[in-house]
Amino acid sequence: MTMNSPRKLTLYVAGQTPKSLAAISNLERICAEHLPGKYTVEVIDLKKNPQLAREHSIVAIPTLVRELPIPLRKIIGDLSDTYKVLVNLQVEMD
């Protein structure tokens, strides 16, 4: 796998809180700017499916999980630090 292999991302949020909405917005922006056409994103609302928090070992929200490429990585927070997100997603930066 290369640094720019397709990413499978899952964002766990809890309802429409300001932090959840910020995380969704920041993730959309980061993916559009740095991973155009190279990602899939699933947003899971743990208020609707609370059992998934235990099943997927989510201890804080919002949490972004990079499922592919492996190994799995988790980023906790509203994803406002673009550099931190890109480093954790292992995206090459110009």
Side-chain angles (χ1 to χ4, degrees), residues 36-54:
K38 297 178 180 177
Y39 66 95
T40 59
V41 174
E42 180 179 10
V43 177
I44 295 178
D45 186 344
L46 293 177
K47 279 195 168 186
K48 295 178 182 172
N49 300 297
Q51 76 282 0
L52 293 177
R54 179 175 291 193

Side-chain angles (χ1 to χ4, degrees), residues 15-31:
Q16 300 288 312
T17 66
K19 211 165 190 175
S20 294
L21 295 174
I24 293 169
S25 175
N26 287 329
L27 181 60
E28 288 174 345
R29 177 184 49 77
I30 291 168
C31 287

Side-chain angles (χ1 to χ4, degrees), residues 9-13 18-31 41 43 61-65 74-86 88-89:
L9 309 171
T10 304
L11 179 63
Y12 294 89
V13 297
K19 211 165 190 175
S20 294
L21 295 174
I24 293 169
S25 175
N26 287 329
L27 181 60
E28 288 174 345
R29 177 184 49 77
I30 291 168
C31 287
V41 174
V43 177
I61 47 175
T63 295
L64 176 64
V65 178
K74 293 181 180 178
I75 307 168
I76 296 171
D78 66 4
L79 311 176
S80 59
D81 185 339
T82 301
Y83 179 77
K84 177 181 166 186
V85 173
L86 292 174
N88 279 288
L89 294 179

